[in-house]
Amino acid sequence: MKTIFRLLSYIKQYWFKLLLGLICILLSTGFAILIPRMLGTGMDTVISNGSRSYVVVLALVIIAASALRGLTGYGQRYFAEVVAQKATYNIRNAIYERLQRLSFGFHDRNQTGQLMSRATVDVEVVRMFFSQGFLGLAQIVFMVIGVGYMLLTMNWQLGLMTLAFVIPVATLAATFGRRMRPVWLKVQAVMGYMGETLEESLTGISVVKAFSHQAEDSRKFDAQATELYNQQMRAARMLSINMPTMVFLVGIPTVVILWYGGHQVIAGTMTVGEITQFILMMGLMMMPIRRLGMMVNLFSRAVSGGQRIMEILDAESDVKEKPNAIELGKVKGQVSFQNVSFSYNNMSPALKNVSFEVQPGQLVALLGQSGSGKSTIANLLSRFYDVSGGKILVDGIDIRDVTLASLRKNVVTAQQDVFLFSATIRENIAYGAVGAGMDKIVEVAKAAYLHNFIQALPEGYETWVGERGDTLSGGEKQRLSIARTLLVNPSILILDDSTASVDSETERLIRQALDTLIKGRTTFIITHRLPIIQNADLILMLQDGEVVEQGKHTELIARNGIYKEVYESQLLLHRDSEESPVD
């Protein structure tokens, strides 16, 4: 019930529309009860005096009551759907906002397909509960109370006998709901796994085809589809047992009415019209009670889906902004790592007591083997993760004391794995600078030597980029990423080997542009390219999460340490391979 109450908190702001829906249910119930009441009374009147005029009036009253019942029924369904749509609209937005604000650590631990399933399938289950289950349950309550009152006032003995069957039906429904809840939870989890497999297969379709892995992926998806089928069939079997049982229990009161009521009519203590009313009203009451199984089913699925939704909404970000965090204005670009340690999994450290000082406008080369901690330094500086020990200062201010938005306006990363959105080239360039003018967009495109390429396209800057930028080459995506980063004009720039996918001529042009653009901007670059390393103001040589050497190129060569060894064994070889002619 805790989950249900939390879900219902999303509809409390729409209390007026909810109230109108409840009023429509109350009126619809009243008109529904009026019809058998008029029929029974009319039957006794006609039998006693045979008045034809009364029959006409009775028919008109019944027609009017039926029309009003239909009208109020429409209002009930309309207001229920309005409330349901508005509430789930808020839930979807709350999930999206939460996912956007959760740290990289959360997304590292959770699979995209599962998150997508919770934001779509589970939210839709909750919507169905709001639109059909919540007010539907209110309708059942109103009908049982209204019909129960009428039956007891007509003949309290027969009324008690028939109403007694409501208790086992309600008990069966409650028991069934408890048994169905874990089944639906399993169904929704398997649907999440299927969504995850489908999402991975589609986004990685080029890899799937390149390695001829279609058959293996199909088998994996088939296994999950089979599991979903089995779980849904399990739910169907439980439903197929529950519904006939409830129909059987609902049919027993009619037999009781005919048996006991028939004796009362023969004895003269009940009229034919009254027993007719009993049968019709019991039919009215048992119809919604029979729907109680569906209501419990919706309730069970809503609880299961709600639990999965609340897991996202209750998730705590590993990176938290302090309540009194300050706005970081335009910084000069001084960066200081002071005994920084960090671990992704609280077991093996990614960084161990890293310390270095970078002055504004300096170019810093991060050098080391894969897994040495280069990207971790970049991620910590942008505060995608929080340090496990030590602190990071920007212009002498601990980055944990400033707002995340203001920090990331000053520290921008151009990643090696460039992600482009399904939008125009212009929109992708301006992604980080909302409202940027066309002149600025063209300026940074020229600086990244992308302008001529864009101009040659049929639609120029309005050319649509395919999903994940698949319509562009690797070099074009890299240059677009550089243009996007430069448009933000950060004080601290992080380049993750951002020219690794461009040809030598394009790289030369981009280097010329960067030589001008990095002036006055602190720049960290993760690279193995010798010309950049030799011109760096500071080289950080990393190994197993530690800065083993730091300094300028000439200083590190003179020390005859690890850097010189890497320089002679790898960097010179890398330079020669770049400069060798292509046959």
XYZ file of all heavy atoms in Angstrom, residues 273-364:
710
model
N -42.991 -8.015 -8.135
C -42.140 -6.863 -8.457
C -40.931 -6.776 -7.537
O -39.830 -6.417 -7.965
N -41.139 -7.100 -6.259
C -40.017 -7.031 -5.308
C -38.959 -8.086 -5.586
O -37.764 -7.812 -5.530
C -40.557 -7.186 -3.888
C -41.316 -5.960 -3.398
C -41.947 -6.168 -2.026
O -42.167 -7.346 -1.659
O -42.210 -5.165 -1.341
N -39.399 -9.294 -5.896
C -38.408 -10.338 -6.209
C -37.697 -10.021 -7.520
O -36.505 -10.335 -7.697
C -39.070 -11.738 -6.236
C -37.983 -12.818 -6.185
C -39.935 -11.945 -7.463
C -38.538 -14.221 -6.016
N -38.426 -9.374 -8.432
C -37.782 -8.941 -9.689
C -36.710 -7.898 -9.394
O -35.613 -7.921 -9.965
C -38.835 -8.367 -10.654
O -39.831 -9.366 -10.927
C -38.187 -7.924 -11.954
N -37.043 -6.958 -8.491
C -36.054 -5.957 -8.097
C -34.823 -6.615 -7.475
O -33.690 -6.216 -7.750
C -36.670 -4.983 -7.081
C -37.688 -4.017 -7.651
C -38.183 -3.041 -6.611
O -37.378 -2.337 -5.985
N -39.500 -3.002 -6.408
N -35.059 -7.613 -6.633
C -33.938 -8.312 -5.992
C -32.997 -8.907 -7.042
O -31.774 -8.760 -6.970
C -34.480 -9.415 -5.068
C -34.353 -9.083 -3.619
C -35.375 -8.393 -2.963
C -33.212 -9.443 -2.909
C -35.265 -8.081 -1.620
C -33.110 -9.130 -1.564
C -34.124 -8.445 -0.912
N -33.596 -9.596 -8.023
C -32.768 -10.248 -9.045
C -32.006 -9.230 -9.881
O -30.799 -9.377 -10.144
C -33.651 -11.148 -9.938
C -34.222 -12.305 -9.115
C -32.858 -11.670 -11.131
C -35.224 -13.158 -9.860
N -32.716 -8.160 -10.303
C -32.058 -7.141 -11.139
C -30.972 -6.399 -10.367
O -29.892 -6.104 -10.902
C -33.100 -6.153 -11.669
C -34.103 -6.718 -12.683
C -35.146 -5.669 -13.052
C -33.385 -7.213 -13.934
N -31.239 -6.082 -9.098
C -30.242 -5.347 -8.314
C -29.034 -6.214 -7.970
O -27.910 -5.728 -7.929
C -30.881 -4.782 -7.046
C -31.789 -3.602 -7.306
S -32.296 -2.760 -5.793
C -33.401 -1.514 -6.481
N -29.290 -7.496 -7.719
C -28.156 -8.376 -7.485
C -27.293 -8.476 -8.742
O -26.069 -8.555 -8.682
C -28.638 -9.763 -7.072
C -29.006 -9.876 -5.604
S -27.648 -9.431 -4.491
C -26.393 -10.599 -4.966
N -27.963 -8.465 -9.899
C -27.213 -8.454 -11.153
C -26.371 -7.197 -11.286
O -25.223 -7.241 -11.737
N -26.973 -6.044 -10.873
C -26.228 -4.780 -10.899
C -24.997 -4.839 -10.010
O -23.913 -4.395 -10.382
C -27.125 -3.629 -10.420
C -28.052 -2.962 -11.432
C -28.854 -1.876 -10.733
C -27.262 -2.388 -12.596
N -25.170 -5.396 -8.814
C -24.068 -5.406 -7.857
C -23.002 -6.430 -8.239
O -21.806 -6.187 -8.077
C -24.589 -5.711 -6.446
C -23.506 -5.618 -5.382
S -24.178 -5.660 -3.707
C -24.857 -7.308 -3.662
N -23.440 -7.576 -8.765
C -22.477 -8.623 -9.081
C -21.651 -8.300 -10.324
O -20.533 -8.791 -10.471
C -23.192 -9.962 -9.258
C -23.700 -10.532 -7.946
S -22.360 -10.703 -6.727
C -23.256 -11.272 -5.298
N -22.181 -7.464 -11.219
C -21.400 -7.093 -12.407
C -20.099 -6.383 -12.025
O -19.016 -6.777 -12.466
C -22.250 -6.241 -13.360
C -23.265 -7.051 -14.164
S -24.380 -6.005 -15.117
C -23.218 -5.135 -16.165
N -20.150 -5.333 -11.190
C -18.872 -4.723 -10.790
C -18.022 -5.613 -9.885
O -16.802 -5.537 -9.918
C -19.307 -3.446 -10.057
C -20.702 -3.677 -9.640
C -21.294 -4.560 -10.696
N -18.696 -6.459 -9.076
C -17.919 -7.355 -8.215
C -17.143 -8.357 -9.072
O -16.005 -8.723 -8.761
C -18.835 -8.069 -7.209
C -19.318 -7.062 -6.156
C -18.116 -9.226 -6.537
C -20.233 -7.633 -5.119
N -17.753 -8.800 -10.188
C -17.042 -9.677 -11.096
C -15.822 -8.969 -11.685
O -14.805 -9.602 -11.980
C -17.970 -10.135 -12.217
C -18.992 -11.170 -11.780
C -19.954 -11.494 -12.895
N -19.265 -12.050 -14.060
C -19.904 -12.417 -15.175
N -21.226 -12.278 -15.264
N -19.235 -12.919 -16.178
N -15.925 -7.645 -11.835
C -14.781 -6.873 -12.336
C -13.711 -6.696 -11.263
O -12.634 -6.167 -11.543
C -15.251 -5.490 -12.800
C -16.096 -5.528 -14.064
C -16.578 -4.129 -14.422
N -15.448 -3.223 -14.581
C -15.472 -1.942 -14.190
N -16.547 -1.460 -13.594
N -14.429 -1.169 -14.381
N -14.027 -7.126 -10.041
C -13.062 -6.975 -8.953
C -11.769 -7.732 -9.265
O -10.681 -7.299 -8.885
C -13.675 -7.504 -7.649
C -12.975 -7.074 -6.350
C -12.955 -5.569 -6.221
C -13.676 -7.706 -5.150
N -11.907 -8.857 -9.996
C -10.712 -9.596 -10.394
C -9.812 -8.749 -11.279
O -8.582 -8.731 -11.127
N -10.428 -8.019 -12.246
C -9.648 -7.137 -13.104
C -9.038 -5.986 -12.311
O -7.894 -5.577 -12.536
C -10.523 -6.578 -14.231
C -9.742 -5.762 -15.260
S -10.797 -4.985 -16.486
C -11.491 -3.625 -15.535
N -9.817 -5.472 -11.341
C -9.310 -4.381 -10.510
C -8.084 -4.826 -9.718
O -7.086 -4.109 -9.622
C -10.396 -3.922 -9.525
C -11.659 -3.351 -10.132
S -11.397 -1.826 -11.056
C -11.570 -2.462 -12.723
N -8.174 -6.035 -9.162
C -7.046 -6.561 -8.381
C -5.847 -6.796 -9.291
O -4.693 -6.557 -8.913
C -7.451 -7.862 -7.665
C -6.252 -8.512 -7.008
C -8.521 -7.568 -6.619
N -6.122 -7.250 -10.516
C -5.046 -7.445 -11.492
C -4.342 -6.116 -11.789
O -3.107 -6.028 -11.800
C -5.635 -8.048 -12.765
C -4.573 -8.334 -13.805
O -3.439 -8.647 -13.481
N -4.952 -8.209 -15.070
N -5.142 -5.072 -12.028
C -4.569 -3.742 -12.270
C -3.803 -3.249 -11.047
O -2.742 -2.639 -11.171
C -5.681 -2.751 -12.627
C -6.359 -2.934 -13.995
C -7.535 -1.975 -14.128
C -5.360 -2.707 -15.119
N -4.366 -3.506 -9.880
C -3.716 -3.104 -8.633
C -2.353 -3.791 -8.500
O -1.350 -3.160 -8.172
C -4.622 -3.462 -7.451
C -4.024 -3.159 -6.106
C -4.158 -1.910 -5.532
C -3.320 -4.135 -5.418
C -3.601 -1.634 -4.291
C -2.768 -3.877 -4.174
C -2.903 -2.619 -3.615
N -2.331 -5.107 -8.771
C -1.085 -5.871 -8.635
C -0.025 -5.370 -9.605
O 1.148 -5.206 -9.250
C -1.350 -7.358 -8.877
O -2.264 -7.859 -7.928
N -0.433 -5.123 -10.849
C 0.523 -4.640 -11.844
C 1.001 -3.225 -11.502
O 2.164 -2.887 -11.728
C -0.106 -4.660 -13.236
C -0.507 -6.032 -13.718
C -0.764 -6.068 -15.201
N 0.475 -5.869 -15.960
C 0.545 -5.942 -17.284
N -0.547 -6.223 -17.989
N 1.674 -5.754 -17.910
N 0.086 -2.409 -10.958
C 0.476 -1.047 -10.575
C 1.489 -1.068 -9.436
O 2.431 -0.273 -9.419
C -0.755 -0.235 -10.181
N 1.301 -1.976 -8.484
C 2.258 -2.096 -7.376
C 3.623 -2.526 -7.911
O 4.656 -1.962 -7.548
C 1.753 -3.095 -6.320
C 2.844 -3.389 -5.306
C 0.527 -2.534 -5.608
N 3.615 -3.532 -8.806
C 4.877 -4.019 -9.367
C 5.572 -2.933 -10.173
O 6.771 -2.682 -10.006
C 4.621 -5.242 -10.252
O 3.996 -6.271 -9.525
N 4.800 -2.270 -11.054
C 5.381 -1.186 -11.849
C 5.786 -0.011 -10.995
O 6.825 0.623 -11.220
N 4.964 0.304 -9.989
C 5.271 1.431 -9.104
C 6.550 1.208 -8.323
O 7.340 2.146 -8.125
N 6.783 -0.025 -7.889
C 8.020 -0.325 -7.159
C 9.233 -0.070 -8.044
O 10.230 0.509 -7.602
C 8.000 -1.781 -6.696
C 7.049 -2.041 -5.544
C 6.943 -3.510 -5.193
O 7.343 -4.384 -5.970
N 6.389 -3.801 -4.029
N 9.164 -0.475 -9.311
C 10.281 -0.272 -10.238
C 10.470 1.216 -10.550
O 11.601 1.683 -10.711
C 10.036 -1.069 -11.519
C 10.244 -2.564 -11.337
C 9.581 -3.381 -12.439
N 9.936 -2.959 -13.778
C 11.029 -3.378 -14.440
N 11.867 -4.212 -13.856
N 11.269 -2.973 -15.671
N 9.374 1.957 -10.626
C 9.473 3.405 -10.867
C 10.101 4.107 -9.670
O 10.975 4.967 -9.813
C 8.071 3.985 -11.170
C 7.586 3.513 -12.542
C 8.087 5.510 -11.108
C 6.142 3.843 -12.826
N 9.648 3.727 -8.464
C 10.158 4.380 -7.261
C 11.638 4.090 -7.030
O 12.336 4.893 -6.414
C 9.338 3.948 -6.039
C 7.888 4.391 -6.081
S 7.717 6.174 -6.419
C 5.982 6.247 -6.860
N 12.120 2.960 -7.537
C 13.545 2.669 -7.421
C 14.378 3.733 -8.143
O 15.480 4.070 -7.714
C 13.854 1.278 -7.984
C 13.402 0.148 -7.070
C 13.606 -1.216 -7.709
O 14.208 -1.264 -8.812
O 13.172 -2.223 -7.119
N 13.835 4.249 -9.251
C 14.529 5.329 -9.970
C 14.355 6.646 -9.230
O 15.323 7.383 -8.991
C 13.995 5.455 -11.409
C 14.348 4.207 -12.222
C 14.565 6.707 -12.087
C 13.840 4.236 -13.644
N 13.109 6.962 -8.851
C 12.840 8.249 -8.212
C 13.516 8.362 -6.849
O 13.826 9.470 -6.396
C 11.327 8.451 -8.068
C 10.531 8.514 -9.377
C 9.055 8.747 -9.095
C 11.068 9.612 -10.293
N 13.763 7.222 -6.190
C 14.412 7.234 -4.880
C 15.929 7.095 -4.964
O 16.610 7.179 -3.940
C 13.863 6.091 -4.005
C 12.402 6.306 -3.636
O 11.937 7.455 -3.721
O 11.741 5.322 -3.266
N 16.441 6.851 -6.178
C 17.888 6.650 -6.330
C 18.632 7.928 -5.952
O 18.225 9.041 -6.306
C 18.222 6.253 -7.766
N 19.700 7.758 -5.207
C 20.523 8.885 -4.789
C 21.742 8.983 -5.696
O 22.401 7.988 -5.991
C 20.980 8.693 -3.338
C 19.858 8.799 -2.314
C 19.302 10.200 -2.181
O 20.042 11.157 -2.520
O 18.153 10.347 -1.764
N 22.019 10.185 -6.137
C 23.188 10.407 -6.970
C 24.456 10.344 -6.133
O 24.499 10.834 -5.002
C 23.091 11.768 -7.669
O 24.247 12.019 -8.439
N 25.479 9.698 -6.695
C 26.767 9.655 -6.004
C 27.395 11.039 -5.930
O 28.181 11.331 -5.028
C 27.722 8.692 -6.727
C 27.181 7.275 -6.766
O 26.470 6.906 -5.818
O 27.455 6.550 -7.734
N 27.054 11.875 -6.909
C 27.571 13.253 -6.953
C 26.438 14.180 -6.533
O 25.463 14.352 -7.267
C 28.076 13.617 -8.363
C 28.539 15.055 -8.416
C 29.196 12.675 -8.781
N 26.553 14.757 -5.353
C 25.484 15.598 -4.810
C 25.937 17.048 -4.717
O 27.059 17.332 -4.309
C 25.071 15.091 -3.426
C 24.494 13.687 -3.434
C 24.129 13.221 -2.037
C 23.585 11.802 -2.054
N 23.268 11.311 -0.696
N 25.038 17.910 -5.083
C 25.306 19.345 -4.998
C 24.927 19.843 -3.613
O 23.847 19.543 -3.106
C 24.498 20.078 -6.066
C 24.902 21.509 -6.300
C 24.155 22.113 -7.473
O 24.593 21.910 -8.622
O 23.126 22.782 -7.236
N 25.814 20.575 -2.978
C 25.536 21.094 -1.640
C 24.377 22.094 -1.676
O 24.219 22.822 -2.658
C 26.785 21.763 -1.065
C 27.928 20.805 -0.759
C 29.117 21.542 -0.151
C 30.241 20.580 0.192
N 31.418 21.269 0.779
N 23.577 22.142 -0.616
C 22.456 23.100 -0.588
C 22.911 24.547 -0.744
O 22.202 25.372 -1.316
C 21.815 22.858 0.789
C 22.257 21.483 1.179
C 23.618 21.289 0.583
N 24.082 24.834 -0.221
C 24.593 26.214 -0.284
C 25.697 26.363 -1.326
O 26.590 27.207 -1.190
C 25.122 26.641 1.092
C 26.222 25.707 1.595
O 26.396 24.605 1.072
N 26.963 26.151 2.596
N 25.652 25.522 -2.379
C 26.685 25.575 -3.421
C 26.686 26.936 -4.095
O 25.641 27.544 -4.334
C 26.424 24.483 -4.451
N 27.877 27.411 -4.394
C 28.025 28.741 -4.986
C 28.114 28.637 -6.500
O 28.479 27.602 -7.057
C 29.277 29.461 -4.424
C 30.548 28.664 -4.786
C 29.167 29.647 -2.922
C 31.836 29.371 -4.397
N 27.766 29.730 -7.167
C 27.901 29.809 -8.618
C 29.349 30.131 -8.963
O 29.932 31.080 -8.435
C 26.971 30.886 -9.191
C 25.508 30.511 -9.184
C 25.186 29.454 -10.224
O 25.862 29.437 -11.277
O 24.261 28.653 -9.987
N 29.918 29.339 -9.840
C 31.292 29.559 -10.273
C 31.261 30.408 -11.534
O 30.783 29.971 -12.582
C 31.975 28.217 -10.549
C 33.477 28.230 -10.816
C 34.235 28.713 -9.587
C 33.950 26.827 -11.204
N 31.745 31.643 -11.408
C 31.770 32.510 -12.576
C 32.833 32.078 -13.566
O 33.377 30.978 -13.486
N 33.134 32.941 -14.504
C 34.166 32.642 -15.493
C 35.509 32.551 -14.786
O 35.984 33.521 -14.188
C 34.209 33.749 -16.546
C 35.119 33.455 -17.734
C 34.534 32.368 -18.610
C 35.348 32.193 -19.883
N 34.837 31.104 -20.731
N 36.126 31.363 -14.833
C 37.360 31.136 -14.085
C 38.582 31.445 -14.952
O 38.504 31.494 -16.182
C 37.444 29.691 -13.562
C 36.264 29.375 -12.674
C 37.519 28.691 -14.724
N 39.711 31.632 -14.280
C 40.965 31.861 -15.003
C 41.510 30.548 -15.565
O 42.130 30.540 -16.627
C 41.993 32.477 -14.058
C 41.620 33.871 -13.564
C 42.671 34.396 -12.584
C 42.279 35.781 -12.065
N 43.268 36.295 -11.075
N 41.297 29.439 -14.831
C 41.717 28.140 -15.342
C 42.809 27.472 -14.537
O 43.441 26.523 -15.005
N 43.026 27.934 -13.317
C 44.011 27.269 -12.467
C 43.390 25.985 -11.908
O 42.272 25.998 -11.386
C 44.439 28.180 -11.315
C 45.511 27.562 -10.426
C 45.792 28.396 -9.186
O 44.869 28.964 -8.610
N 47.043 28.458 -8.791
N 44.129 24.879 -12.020
C 43.624 23.575 -11.570
C 44.647 22.957 -10.630
O 45.852 22.941 -10.918
C 43.361 22.635 -12.755
C 42.944 21.252 -12.266
C 42.305 23.209 -13.681
N 44.135 22.430 -9.509
C 45.022 21.808 -8.534
C 44.410 20.497 -8.048
O 43.279 20.484 -7.548
C 45.260 22.747 -7.347
O 46.056 22.125 -6.359
N 45.138 19.398 -8.248
C 44.771 18.106 -7.680
C 45.627 17.902 -6.434
O 46.863 17.941 -6.509
C 45.048 16.979 -8.668
C 43.928 16.704 -9.632
C 43.411 17.705 -10.431
C 43.379 15.435 -9.748
C 42.387 17.459 -11.336
C 42.346 15.170 -10.636
C 41.847 16.192 -11.428
N 44.977 17.692 -5.293
C 45.705 17.555 -4.037
C 45.408 16.190 -3.403
O 44.335 15.974 -2.837
C 45.323 18.687 -3.073
C 45.674 20.071 -3.608
C 45.319 21.188 -2.642
O 44.804 20.945 -1.546
N 45.591 22.425 -3.040
N 46.362 15.276 -3.555
C 46.252 13.926 -2.987
C 44.934 13.244 -3.354
O 44.245 12.672 -2.504
C 46.414 13.962 -1.462
C 47.784 14.469 -1.041
O 48.806 14.033 -1.581
N 47.802 15.401 -0.097
N 44.589 13.314 -4.628
C 43.305 12.779 -5.093
C 43.387 11.263 -5.267
O 44.281 10.743 -5.937
C 42.895 13.439 -6.420
C 41.671 12.737 -7.011
C 42.595 14.922 -6.188
N 42.421 10.579 -4.671
C 42.266 9.133 -4.849
C 40.838 8.855 -5.292
O 39.912 9.591 -4.945
C 42.564 8.375 -3.547
O 43.913 8.559 -3.148
N 40.668 7.775 -6.047
C 39.328 7.458 -6.537
C 39.257 5.992 -6.918
O 40.222 5.402 -7.404
C 38.971 8.307 -7.756
C 37.645 7.951 -8.370
C 36.458 8.308 -7.743
C 37.591 7.228 -9.550
C 35.234 7.960 -8.299
C 36.375 6.876 -10.108
C 35.197 7.243 -9.483
N 38.066 5.401 -6.687
C 37.811 4.018 -7.078
C 36.408 3.932 -7.656
O 35.453 4.475 -7.084
C 37.945 3.080 -5.885
O 37.555 1.766 -6.232
N 36.253 3.263 -8.780
C 34.943 3.106 -9.408
C 34.076 2.094 -8.663
O 32.853 2.218 -8.635
C 35.097 2.659 -10.867
C 35.603 3.748 -11.782
C 36.932 3.802 -12.161
C 34.746 4.727 -12.280
C 37.409 4.794 -13.015
C 35.202 5.719 -13.131
C 36.529 5.752 -13.495
O 36.992 6.754 -14.330
N 34.713 1.084 -8.077
C 33.951 0.009 -7.449
C 34.289 -0.193 -5.977
O 33.970 -1.226 -5.397
C 34.189 -1.304 -8.204
C 35.669 -1.641 -8.330
O 36.513 -1.056 -7.636
N 35.991 -2.570 -9.217
N 34.926 0.789 -5.369
C 35.321 0.728 -3.957
C 36.255 -0.448 -3.653
O 36.392 -0.850 -2.499
C 34.084 0.635 -3.047
C 33.234 1.883 -3.125
O 33.767 2.986 -3.200
N 31.926 1.715 -3.127
N 36.873 -0.987 -4.678
C 37.799 -2.097 -4.474
C 39.175 -1.746 -5.053
O 40.100 -1.415 -4.333
C 37.235 -3.383 -5.099
C 35.959 -3.895 -4.413
S 35.270 -5.357 -5.198
C 36.576 -6.543 -4.939
N 39.292 -1.793 -6.375
C 40.573 -1.463 -6.998
C 40.631 0.029 -7.288
O 39.746 0.565 -7.955
C 40.743 -2.261 -8.293
O 39.655 -2.020 -9.159
N 41.645 0.750 -6.792
C 41.722 2.198 -6.994
C 42.080 2.547 -8.430
O 42.946 1.919 -9.044
C 42.825 2.625 -6.020
C 43.675 1.406 -5.846
C 42.752 0.239 -5.970
N 41.398 3.556 -8.971
C 41.722 4.063 -10.308
C 42.758 5.172 -10.228
O 43.534 5.371 -11.160
C 40.461 4.571 -10.996
N 42.753 5.920 -9.118
C 43.769 6.949 -8.861
C 44.237 6.806 -7.417
O 43.433 6.528 -6.526
C 43.207 8.362 -9.080
C 42.911 8.823 -10.510
C 42.412 10.254 -10.501
C 44.113 8.684 -11.422
N 45.527 7.050 -7.208
C 46.098 6.917 -5.862
C 46.968 8.137 -5.558
O 48.029 8.318 -6.152
C 46.937 5.629 -5.759
C 46.121 4.352 -5.869
C 46.986 3.108 -5.855
C 47.659 2.894 -7.200
N 48.369 1.595 -7.270
N 46.452 9.003 -4.681
C 47.208 10.166 -4.180
C 47.841 10.983 -5.315
O 49.040 11.259 -5.322
C 48.303 9.713 -3.203
C 47.710 9.035 -1.981
O 46.721 9.509 -1.415
N 48.300 7.919 -1.573
N 47.027 11.374 -6.269
C 47.505 12.156 -7.414
C 47.534 13.637 -7.045
O 46.533 14.184 -6.567
C 46.609 11.923 -8.643
C 46.943 12.906 -9.760
C 46.739 10.490 -9.125
N 48.663 14.267 -7.269
C 48.815 15.695 -6.983
C 49.556 16.372 -8.136
O 50.568 15.849 -8.620
C 49.591 15.925 -5.682
O 48.894 15.396 -4.570
N 49.038 17.493 -8.587
C 49.730 18.325 -9.580
C 49.065 19.697 -9.615
O 47.941 19.881 -9.128
C 49.728 17.685 -10.981
C 48.359 17.437 -11.555
C 47.657 18.428 -12.229
C 47.758 16.180 -11.431
C 46.411 18.195 -12.763
C 46.503 15.932 -11.956
C 45.827 16.939 -12.627
N 49.756 20.652 -10.176
C 49.289 22.047 -10.248
C 49.376 22.508 -11.690
O 50.397 22.313 -12.353
C 50.153 22.938 -9.362
C 49.632 24.351 -9.188
C 48.657 24.473 -8.027
O 48.677 23.603 -7.139
O 47.877 25.429 -8.026
N 48.296 23.111 -12.181
C 48.252 23.630 -13.551
C 47.881 25.108 -13.495
O 46.884 25.476 -12.860
C 47.225 22.865 -14.419
C 47.219 23.417 -15.842
C 47.533 21.381 -14.420
N 48.670 25.920 -14.156
C 48.416 27.358 -14.177
C 47.485 27.701 -15.343
O 47.392 26.958 -16.327
C 49.733 28.130 -14.297
C 50.674 27.930 -13.122
C 50.024 28.263 -11.793
O 49.321 29.278 -11.668
N 50.242 27.404 -10.792
N 46.786 28.840 -15.247
C 45.860 29.237 -16.325
C 46.558 29.305 -17.677
O 47.675 29.812 -17.793
C 45.387 30.623 -15.877
C 45.546 30.620 -14.392
C 46.762 29.802 -14.125
N 45.898 28.746 -18.691
C 46.404 28.809 -20.054
C 47.414 27.743 -20.406
O 47.873 27.687 -21.557
N 47.767 26.873 -19.479
C 48.764 25.851 -19.773
C 48.147 24.678 -20.535
O 46.972 24.363 -20.395
C 49.417 25.342 -18.484
C 50.415 26.305 -17.868
C 51.211 25.669 -16.752
O 50.738 24.797 -16.029
N 52.452 26.114 -16.589
N 48.998 24.037 -21.349
C 48.616 22.828 -22.064
C 49.196 21.636 -21.314
O 50.405 21.544 -21.097
C 49.154 22.864 -23.500
C 48.951 21.591 -24.336
C 47.473 21.302 -24.532
C 49.666 21.719 -25.675
N 48.310 20.703 -20.907
C 48.713 19.543 -20.118
C 48.476 18.289 -20.945
O 47.370 18.062 -21.444
C 47.916 19.453 -18.799
C 48.387 18.264 -17.977
C 48.042 20.748 -18.022
